[in-house]
Amino acid sequence: MARRERLLATATELFTTRGYPATSVERICGTAHLPLRAFYEEFESRESLLIALHNGVARAGMEAALTVLGDPALEAAAARVRITAMGRAYVGAVTDAAAATRIAFVDIVGAGRAVEEHRLLWRGLWSDFLTAEAERAVARGEVPARDYSLAMVALTGASNELVAHWTRHSASFSRELLADELIHHALATLGIAGGDGSAAGTRADEGN
């Protein structure tokens, strides 16, 4: 395993077992059997390592959404179909590894100014991305014409909290239920009625 990946994997294990505040750079290096010099050749600080871990999950979620929406079959699809497909792809990507999900949605909160600025940057990117999707639905006459930017800020925050809640209670409800709830939230925010978020419902709507 390359040195950087070794540090990231070790930090993931320690952050999820000991907690981020209780895990020092020295502990990470000792557990990874690497000198401190090696750490600082890869990362500026413990915070920059945490940001790198968050980036891995955040990028996976965004790339999954973009890949799904880039499918020619969804280019002319109704907003409900696109949101359902995007929601399922996003949840599948960001919950692929439970430890990484916990770090990205729970441990990152309150981890310092630089980390918080990074987290808010990603929230802004998602808010803008979802606002563009809402504007597409407006242009197609699928939802009422209004400024959805603040609604998408709220939706982004709610989505993050839903995933964070899942990381704490994953034994109680499935990733599929998490995706269903996130999709319901997104559709309700746009005022799109009907649909259960299921794969069957998506197929039924593909021609709309």
Side-chain angles (χ1 to χ4, degrees):
M1 183 184 295
R3 184 173 64 179
R4 183 180 178 87
E5 285 68 36
R6 194 154 139 204
L7 288 166
L8 289 169
T10 301
T12 297
E13 180 183 355
L14 291 174
F15 290 168
T16 52
T17 55
R18 295 173 55 84
Y20 174 75
T23 302
S24 64
V25 171
E26 290 79 9
R27 170 74 69 170
I28 294 170
C29 291
T31 305
H33 304 294
L34 290 169
L36 275 175
R37 175 179 52 79
F39 181 94
Y40 289 107
E41 287 175 354
E42 298 292 344
F43 303 101
E44 292 183 2
S45 63
R46 185 181 61 149
E47 289 76 15
S48 66
L49 183 149
L50 180 61
I51 287 171
L53 289 172
H54 177 270
N55 254 340
V57 177
R59 285 179 177 172
M62 181 63 81
E63 288 171 3
L66 289 171
T67 297
V68 165
L69 295 185
D71 184 343
L74 285 182
E75 186 173 342
R80 177 147 60 96
V81 176
R82 287 168 61 88
I83 289 169
T84 299
M86 180 173 62
R88 294 202 176 285
Y90 171 78
V91 169
V94 300
T95 62
D96 185 54
T101 306
R102 181 176 182 85
I103 289 170
F105 289 90
V106 177
D107 295 341
I108 195 172
V109 178
R113 181 176 177 179
V115 177
E116 182 63 10
E117 288 176 353
H118 169 80
R119 188 175 76 93
L120 292 177
L121 173 63
W122 268 105
R123 287 186 64 159
L125 289 173
W126 269 109
S127 297
D128 292 345
F129 180 79
L130 293 172
T131 298
E133 191 65 22
E135 290 171 351
R136 176 188 181 277
V138 169
R140 287 166 54 92
E142 297 180 79
V143 301
R146 73 178 185 88
D147 184 352
Y148 284 91
S149 56
L150 289 179
M152 293 308 158
V153 170
L155 176 61
T156 301
S159 299
N160 284 351
E161 182 52 37
L162 276 172
V163 179
H165 184 76
W166 176 83
T167 68
R168 301 183 185 101
H169 305 281
S170 57
S172 301
F173 67 102
S174 66
R175 297 164 70 192
E176 289 74 20
L177 184 56
L178 169 62
D180 285 346
E181 194 59 39
L182 189 150
I183 292 163
H184 283 315
H185 257 308
L187 294 177
T189 298
L190 288 172
I192 298 176
D196 59 2
S198 67
T202 300
R203 286 193 295 270
D205 288 338
E206 282 178 352
N208 295 342

